[in-house]
Amino acid sequence: MSSVRGSRHARIRMLTAVATVCALSAIPPEPQAPEPVGADTSTYTETFRPQFHFTPQKNWMNDPNGLVYYKGEYHLFYQYNPNGNSWGDMSWGHAVSKDLVHWKELPLALSHDDEEMVFSGGAVVDWDNTTGFGTRKNPPMVAIYTSAYKKGGKQAQSLAYSTDRGQTWTKYQGNPVIDVGSTDFRDPKVQWHAPTKSWLMTVSMSTEHKVRFYSSKNLKDWELQSEFGPTGATGGVWECPDLFPLAVDGDPDNIKWVLVVNINPGGIAGGSAAQYFIGDFDGKKFTAEDKGSYTPPAGSVVQDFEGGGFGEWTTTGTAFGRGPAAGAVDGQGAVSGFDGKGLANSYHGGDGATGLLTSPSFTVDSPYLNFRIGGGRHPHGAGTALDPTPPEGTVLADFEGGTYGGWTATGDAFGTAPATGTLPGQQQVSGFMGGGLVNSFRNGDSTTGTLTSPEFTVDKKYVNFLIGGGNHPAGSEGPTTVELLVDGQVVRSATGKDAEALDWASWDVGDLAGKKARIRIVDDNTGGWGHLNVDHIVLSDTRARRVSQETSVNLLVDGQVVRSATGANSETLDWASFDMRPYAGKKAQIQVVDRNTGGWGHVLADQFTAAEKPAQSVVQRADWADYGKDYYAAVSWENAPGGRRYMIGWMNNWDYAGSVPTQPWRGVQSVPREMALRTVDGRIRLTSKPVDSLDSLRRDRPAAASAVTVDNASKPLIGPAAGNKAMDLEAVFSVEDADRFGLKVRTGAGGEETVIGYDTTTQELYVDRSRSGSGDFSSAFPGVQTAPMKPKNGKVKLRVLLDWSSVEVFGGNGEAVITDQVFPDPSSTGVEVFAEGGTATLDHMQAWRLKSAWK
């Protein structure tokens, strides 16, 4: 799937003149958000603190757990680290709400201990006291969670119970209640299945891409009923499954079952996402509706690798061999999904080999280039260099020779000498030079220490070094950092990106010329990714460029990469497509790139075809509850009043979850959504809308705009001075002849904007957050997310929820939803309407400023 998916949506530029009158009533300036009663004045008004999404007062949060309604309260449990702002010591935090909008954070519910961490799961009210944990008069609330055992890594399903409405909890002495001996068996969701008068558990065999269904009469003794999968998107682990019935189009006589399977990575927008299947459940087995086989669009084959050599395509390096492969090569697992007898395969020599395979130059004369791709998931990074040669200069340390030389170590994280590569229990380390590097994974993440260089004089413009490992910046709790010390003070710092692969980092030290300095490598973190990898520190007058570690297929125009796709850590090839329309008539080349020497460090490619329509991958053909980057671990409440199905997801993505710039908390839940099954364009779809109770936060008087026609232009609707960081907007557009149109929100400082648009040429809703503020903490963060959506009667309807650090867009009747975090400057609060490539009309819009839910 293309790592630049949706890049055809160029940033909308401010253009000229708008015709038509805008009837717009202004919103008064927003006052400072109120504080929760009894809260410290330093909380809930931090720069990016959400005002109507749940966040804990402090510390790390991820998956929602144990969603159950009981005695007038919606219970939200969640994965929580009680000891810090990064992943670790997983326990269940707890909050309750009467309306799914105003939340009260409660004390820790289920705590990790010396034997286990408490991973995700569900909760039920045992009304008939089948467990014996309570009484019929006072039925127990029972949590079903995954015990993640610290010794050996096994995962099994366990119980805990509460007889005081979830205030205090007792772990069942007979735990675990299901143990299959697996290290990837997790996230049980339990419900009462009335037709069989038994409890039903839906649980994930994560790496096998399967969901298992178990039944029980007492929540303690379980019997396996069936399995589902693998099918659909399988590019990452399957987690947090949920199964529930819904009426189709509100018809109680037409009930379908929905199986939600969250996947990471391999989601529709990259990284984490919530996939779903629609089908039938008979009490034992879930059967998904048959969507039929897929036939890609026909076209003209450019390269099918069926000859004895690569023809006019040229190679460098050794990874691709002397010609096409006939499938797998020596040492490789079975390869599938290619056409004919041959394909390009860069596994010659194993993952350690690198190389390029480049087509002749050609003139772009087709709308799309379709092809099959497999192998490693290592996307192209903008601005990276294919040449790994380090800059020339003075090498301060290369960590060769078996010693640290004059460097001074404290603690036990760094050992007595450099590592020679990957340490026991560590994922594969790559990207270092020579035979040695600093690696603080000695005895795992639990060790800490420092490693400090001898003093040196800053006599060149840059300090360049290779760095990998944990992302825990200086100043955070438990940093993993490389620091530059001048006069004993930290004047520069860098951290890893939660990846074992090392890449170049650079400090501009021109202003420190002539100063005496030291470099200190700090590992003060004992949680997840609590280590650093460092190598080849060099003073130079040239800034080092990050080295490409991609396994990708790239389209080059004028020598620049303008489209890119990568594999999914799979030896099965899948379809991908490049939109070539912006480059019609230009000279281009196809380049198959393997610059990775770590795990899955190879790429597979076949069947390059020029076509009139794009081919779709398995991921694109799958069904998704949300098409944004930040909606994961989505699960629903049990026992909600009126039989309604409310769902919530963790508003984050494992690609950068540990790096988002929030403190003293990290992690936020989406707005709870009411789910429904509707027939859309002749097909049953899972749709969602924000819970109705969110309307209670709307201030009385909305801003209103009507009959605003924009012709290849952008026009302000609400100025930044209004200070509206939390808003609820409803808008309807008429589709005319514009290529793209929509709203820009959070506009302001330095050209910041988040673009919420509709592309008429592709019939897609999109969100472009490439200029949304802070996003340099991860190369996976900026970009464009798209969702398929057709206009209805020539109209496009949008509901947009803006919080201090997020945007949730509900298109149509909730069939196209995009959820993204954004981190703009607080002063960027403007709203604009735009059209590109023609004319569009904003029929009407209402925009409510939202009160804080924390009062």
Side-chain angles (χ1 to χ4, degrees), residues 549-571:
Q549 297 182 6
E550 65 200 270
T551 50
S552 62
V553 172
N554 297 333
L555 178 70
L556 279 63
V557 175
D558 297 328
Q560 301 298 312
V561 176
V562 296
R563 293 283 188 268
S564 184
T566 189
N569 288 354
S570 172
E571 303 292 17

PDB file of all heavy atoms in Angstrom, residues 549-571:
ATOM      1  N   GLN A 549      16.034   3.341   4.606  1.00  0.00           N
ATOM      2  CA  GLN A 549      15.953   1.949   5.064  1.00  0.00           C
ATOM      3  C   GLN A 549      14.705   1.297   4.490  1.00  0.00           C
ATOM      4  O   GLN A 549      14.125   0.399   5.079  1.00  0.00           O
ATOM      5  CB  GLN A 549      15.965   1.910   6.595  1.00  0.00           C
ATOM      6  CG  GLN A 549      17.257   2.454   7.175  1.00  0.00           C
ATOM      7  CD  GLN A 549      17.324   2.378   8.674  1.00  0.00           C
ATOM      8  OE1 GLN A 549      16.464   1.816   9.324  1.00  0.00           O
ATOM      9  NE2 GLN A 549      18.370   2.952   9.237  1.00  0.00           N
ATOM     10  N   GLU A 550      14.360   1.769   3.283  1.00  0.00           N
ATOM     11  CA  GLU A 550      13.101   1.346   2.687  1.00  0.00           C
ATOM     12  C   GLU A 550      13.205   0.026   1.940  1.00  0.00           C
ATOM     13  O   GLU A 550      14.271  -0.377   1.470  1.00  0.00           O
ATOM     14  CB  GLU A 550      12.591   2.434   1.742  1.00  0.00           C
ATOM     15  CG  GLU A 550      13.494   2.669   0.534  1.00  0.00           C
ATOM     16  CD  GLU A 550      13.261   4.032  -0.107  1.00  0.00           C
ATOM     17  OE1 GLU A 550      12.402   4.109  -1.004  1.00  0.00           O
ATOM     18  OE2 GLU A 550      13.947   4.991   0.291  1.00  0.00           O
ATOM     19  N   THR A 551      12.086  -0.636   1.838  1.00  0.00           N
ATOM     20  CA  THR A 551      11.882  -1.757   0.907  1.00  0.00           C
ATOM     21  C   THR A 551      10.629  -1.347   0.130  1.00  0.00           C
ATOM     22  O   THR A 551       9.510  -1.556   0.585  1.00  0.00           O
ATOM     23  CB  THR A 551      11.655  -3.078   1.654  1.00  0.00           C
ATOM     24  OG1 THR A 551      10.637  -2.895   2.653  1.00  0.00           O
ATOM     25  CG2 THR A 551      12.936  -3.522   2.344  1.00  0.00           C
ATOM     26  N   SER A 552      10.833  -0.736  -1.013  1.00  0.00           N
ATOM     27  CA  SER A 552       9.714  -0.030  -1.634  1.00  0.00           C
ATOM     28  C   SER A 552       9.767  -0.082  -3.151  1.00  0.00           C
ATOM     29  O   SER A 552      10.794  -0.401  -3.755  1.00  0.00           O
ATOM     30  CB  SER A 552       9.718   1.433  -1.177  1.00  0.00           C
ATOM     31  OG  SER A 552      10.910   2.074  -1.605  1.00  0.00           O
ATOM     32  N   VAL A 553       8.631   0.251  -3.738  1.00  0.00           N
ATOM     33  CA  VAL A 553       8.540   0.553  -5.162  1.00  0.00           C
ATOM     34  C   VAL A 553       8.251   2.042  -5.253  1.00  0.00           C
ATOM     35  O   VAL A 553       7.274   2.530  -4.661  1.00  0.00           O
ATOM     36  CB  VAL A 553       7.444  -0.261  -5.854  1.00  0.00           C
ATOM     37  CG1 VAL A 553       7.259   0.221  -7.290  1.00  0.00           C
ATOM     38  CG2 VAL A 553       7.782  -1.743  -5.839  1.00  0.00           C
ATOM     39  N   ASN A 554       9.091   2.771  -5.989  1.00  0.00           N
ATOM     40  CA  ASN A 554       8.959   4.223  -6.082  1.00  0.00           C
ATOM     41  C   ASN A 554       8.734   4.661  -7.521  1.00  0.00           C
ATOM     42  O   ASN A 554       9.261   4.050  -8.452  1.00  0.00           O
ATOM     43  CB  ASN A 554      10.219   4.921  -5.560  1.00  0.00           C
ATOM     44  CG  ASN A 554      10.464   4.656  -4.091  1.00  0.00           C
ATOM     45  OD1 ASN A 554       9.529   4.402  -3.334  1.00  0.00           O
ATOM     46  ND2 ASN A 554      11.719   4.705  -3.681  1.00  0.00           N
ATOM     47  N   LEU A 555       7.986   5.750  -7.689  1.00  0.00           N
ATOM     48  CA  LEU A 555       7.864   6.427  -8.965  1.00  0.00           C
ATOM     49  C   LEU A 555       8.698   7.698  -8.885  1.00  0.00           C
ATOM     50  O   LEU A 555       8.497   8.528  -7.991  1.00  0.00           O
ATOM     51  CB  LEU A 555       6.401   6.780  -9.264  1.00  0.00           C
ATOM     52  CG  LEU A 555       6.168   7.539 -10.577  1.00  0.00           C
ATOM     53  CD1 LEU A 555       6.409   6.622 -11.772  1.00  0.00           C
ATOM     54  CD2 LEU A 555       4.757   8.123 -10.621  1.00  0.00           C
ATOM     55  N   LEU A 556       9.641   7.846  -9.828  1.00  0.00           N
ATOM     56  CA  LEU A 556      10.509   9.014  -9.870  1.00  0.00           C
ATOM     57  C   LEU A 556      10.112   9.906 -11.036  1.00  0.00           C
ATOM     58  O   LEU A 556       9.965   9.428 -12.168  1.00  0.00           O
ATOM     59  CB  LEU A 556      11.983   8.603 -10.029  1.00  0.00           C
ATOM     60  CG  LEU A 556      12.757   8.159  -8.783  1.00  0.00           C
ATOM     61  CD1 LEU A 556      12.157   6.890  -8.177  1.00  0.00           C
ATOM     62  CD2 LEU A 556      14.225   7.922  -9.122  1.00  0.00           C
ATOM     63  N   VAL A 557       9.918  11.191 -10.760  1.00  0.00           N
ATOM     64  CA  VAL A 557       9.691  12.205 -11.786  1.00  0.00           C
ATOM     65  C   VAL A 557      10.717  13.298 -11.556  1.00  0.00           C
ATOM     66  O   VAL A 557      10.838  13.814 -10.437  1.00  0.00           O
ATOM     67  CB  VAL A 557       8.262  12.770 -11.723  1.00  0.00           C
ATOM     68  CG1 VAL A 557       8.099  13.914 -12.717  1.00  0.00           C
ATOM     69  CG2 VAL A 557       7.238  11.669 -12.010  1.00  0.00           C
ATOM     70  N   ASP A 558      11.479  13.625 -12.600  1.00  0.00           N
ATOM     71  CA  ASP A 558      12.583  14.584 -12.474  1.00  0.00           C
ATOM     72  C   ASP A 558      13.546  14.164 -11.363  1.00  0.00           C
ATOM     73  O   ASP A 558      14.089  15.005 -10.638  1.00  0.00           O
ATOM     74  CB  ASP A 558      12.049  15.991 -12.201  1.00  0.00           C
ATOM     75  CG  ASP A 558      11.202  16.524 -13.349  1.00  0.00           C
ATOM     76  OD1 ASP A 558      11.486  16.161 -14.510  1.00  0.00           O
ATOM     77  OD2 ASP A 558      10.262  17.289 -13.083  1.00  0.00           O
ATOM     78  N   GLY A 559      13.746  12.853 -11.240  1.00  0.00           N
ATOM     79  CA  GLY A 559      14.690  12.330 -10.270  1.00  0.00           C
ATOM     80  C   GLY A 559      14.203  12.324  -8.841  1.00  0.00           C
ATOM     81  O   GLY A 559      14.937  11.897  -7.936  1.00  0.00           O
ATOM     82  N   GLN A 560      12.961  12.781  -8.590  1.00  0.00           N
ATOM     83  CA  GLN A 560      12.422  12.850  -7.240  1.00  0.00           C
ATOM     84  C   GLN A 560      11.333  11.794  -7.051  1.00  0.00           C
ATOM     85  O   GLN A 560      10.546  11.518  -7.961  1.00  0.00           O
ATOM     86  CB  GLN A 560      11.842  14.235  -6.964  1.00  0.00           C
ATOM     87  CG  GLN A 560      12.834  15.372  -7.111  1.00  0.00           C
ATOM     88  CD  GLN A 560      13.980  15.263  -6.131  1.00  0.00           C
ATOM     89  OE1 GLN A 560      13.776  15.049  -4.931  1.00  0.00           O
ATOM     90  NE2 GLN A 560      15.200  15.399  -6.640  1.00  0.00           N
ATOM     91  N   VAL A 561      11.280  11.222  -5.857  1.00  0.00           N
ATOM     92  CA  VAL A 561      10.249  10.241  -5.539  1.00  0.00           C
ATOM     93  C   VAL A 561       8.926  10.972  -5.325  1.00  0.00           C
ATOM     94  O   VAL A 561       8.798  11.808  -4.428  1.00  0.00           O
ATOM     95  CB  VAL A 561      10.611   9.427  -4.285  1.00  0.00           C
ATOM     96  CG1 VAL A 561       9.476   8.477  -3.916  1.00  0.00           C
ATOM     97  CG2 VAL A 561      11.905   8.652  -4.515  1.00  0.00           C
ATOM     98  N   VAL A 562       7.925  10.665  -6.149  1.00  0.00           N
ATOM     99  CA  VAL A 562       6.623  11.320  -6.038  1.00  0.00           C
ATOM    100  C   VAL A 562       5.511  10.351  -5.626  1.00  0.00           C
ATOM    101  O   VAL A 562       4.438  10.775  -5.214  1.00  0.00           O
ATOM    102  CB  VAL A 562       6.235  12.002  -7.364  1.00  0.00           C
ATOM    103  CG1 VAL A 562       7.207  13.130  -7.685  1.00  0.00           C
ATOM    104  CG2 VAL A 562       6.160  11.000  -8.514  1.00  0.00           C
ATOM    105  N   ARG A 563       5.766   9.053  -5.735  1.00  0.00           N
ATOM    106  CA  ARG A 563       4.830   8.035  -5.273  1.00  0.00           C
ATOM    107  C   ARG A 563       5.656   6.884  -4.712  1.00  0.00           C
ATOM    108  O   ARG A 563       6.748   6.591  -5.202  1.00  0.00           O
ATOM    109  CB  ARG A 563       3.949   7.507  -6.420  1.00  0.00           C
ATOM    110  CG  ARG A 563       2.966   8.525  -6.994  1.00  0.00           C
ATOM    111  CD  ARG A 563       1.779   8.700  -6.060  1.00  0.00           C
ATOM    112  NE  ARG A 563       0.740   9.523  -6.664  1.00  0.00           N
ATOM    113  CZ  ARG A 563       0.644  10.830  -6.536  1.00  0.00           C
ATOM    114  NH1 ARG A 563       1.548  11.486  -5.826  1.00  0.00           N
ATOM    115  NH2 ARG A 563      -0.359  11.484  -7.099  1.00  0.00           N
ATOM    116  N   SER A 564       5.124   6.214  -3.710  1.00  0.00           N
ATOM    117  CA  SER A 564       5.866   5.116  -3.113  1.00  0.00           C
ATOM    118  C   SER A 564       4.904   4.113  -2.495  1.00  0.00           C
ATOM    119  O   SER A 564       3.838   4.486  -2.001  1.00  0.00           O
ATOM    120  CB  SER A 564       6.838   5.635  -2.043  1.00  0.00           C
ATOM    121  OG  SER A 564       7.626   4.586  -1.525  1.00  0.00           O
ATOM    122  N   ALA A 565       5.275   2.850  -2.542  1.00  0.00           N
ATOM    123  CA  ALA A 565       4.514   1.787  -1.892  1.00  0.00           C
ATOM    124  C   ALA A 565       5.491   0.821  -1.252  1.00  0.00           C
ATOM    125  O   ALA A 565       6.646   0.695  -1.689  1.00  0.00           O
ATOM    126  CB  ALA A 565       3.634   1.054  -2.908  1.00  0.00           C
ATOM    127  N   THR A 566       5.047   0.134  -0.210  1.00  0.00           N
ATOM    128  CA  THR A 566       5.907  -0.826   0.461  1.00  0.00           C
ATOM    129  C   THR A 566       5.130  -2.096   0.753  1.00  0.00           C
ATOM    130  O   THR A 566       3.901  -2.123   0.623  1.00  0.00           O
ATOM    131  CB  THR A 566       6.480  -0.234   1.763  1.00  0.00           C
ATOM    132  OG1 THR A 566       7.481  -1.120   2.298  1.00  0.00           O
ATOM    133  CG2 THR A 566       5.389  -0.016   2.807  1.00  0.00           C
ATOM    134  N   GLY A 567       5.833  -3.150   1.121  1.00  0.00           N
ATOM    135  CA  GLY A 567       5.199  -4.412   1.455  1.00  0.00           C
ATOM    136  C   GLY A 567       4.544  -4.377   2.817  1.00  0.00           C
ATOM    137  O   GLY A 567       4.499  -3.340   3.489  1.00  0.00           O
ATOM    138  N   ALA A 568       4.054  -5.534   3.252  1.00  0.00           N
ATOM    139  CA  ALA A 568       3.320  -5.631   4.518  1.00  0.00           C
ATOM    140  C   ALA A 568       3.926  -6.704   5.408  1.00  0.00           C
ATOM    141  O   ALA A 568       3.211  -7.374   6.151  1.00  0.00           O
ATOM    142  CB  ALA A 568       1.855  -5.930   4.249  1.00  0.00           C
ATOM    143  N   ASN A 569       5.273  -6.862   5.336  1.00  0.00           N
ATOM    144  CA  ASN A 569       5.943  -7.936   6.083  1.00  0.00           C
ATOM    145  C   ASN A 569       5.312  -9.285   5.746  1.00  0.00           C
ATOM    146  O   ASN A 569       4.937 -10.058   6.615  1.00  0.00           O
ATOM    147  CB  ASN A 569       5.900  -7.684   7.591  1.00  0.00           C
ATOM    148  CG  ASN A 569       6.814  -6.556   8.024  1.00  0.00           C
ATOM    149  OD1 ASN A 569       7.581  -6.025   7.219  1.00  0.00           O
ATOM    150  ND2 ASN A 569       6.739  -6.185   9.287  1.00  0.00           N
ATOM    151  N   SER A 570       5.196  -9.526   4.457  1.00  0.00           N
ATOM    152  CA  SER A 570       4.557 -10.747   3.977  1.00  0.00           C
ATOM    153  C   SER A 570       5.213 -11.183   2.679  1.00  0.00           C
ATOM    154  O   SER A 570       5.577 -10.346   1.845  1.00  0.00           O
ATOM    155  CB  SER A 570       3.063 -10.505   3.740  1.00  0.00           C
ATOM    156  OG  SER A 570       2.459 -11.622   3.108  1.00  0.00           O
ATOM    157  N   GLU A 571       5.349 -12.485   2.502  1.00  0.00           N
ATOM    158  CA  GLU A 571       5.867 -13.024   1.244  1.00  0.00           C
ATOM    159  C   GLU A 571       4.766 -13.182   0.196  1.00  0.00           C
ATOM    160  O   GLU A 571       5.015 -13.673  -0.897  1.00  0.00           O
ATOM    161  CB  GLU A 571       6.552 -14.381   1.483  1.00  0.00           C
ATOM    162  CG  GLU A 571       7.682 -14.359   2.503  1.00  0.00           C
ATOM    163  CD  GLU A 571       8.914 -13.587   2.066  1.00  0.00           C
ATOM    164  OE1 GLU A 571       8.832 -12.779   1.123  1.00  0.00           O
ATOM    165  OE2 GLU A 571       9.979 -13.781   2.687  1.00  0.00           O
TER     166      GLU A 571
END
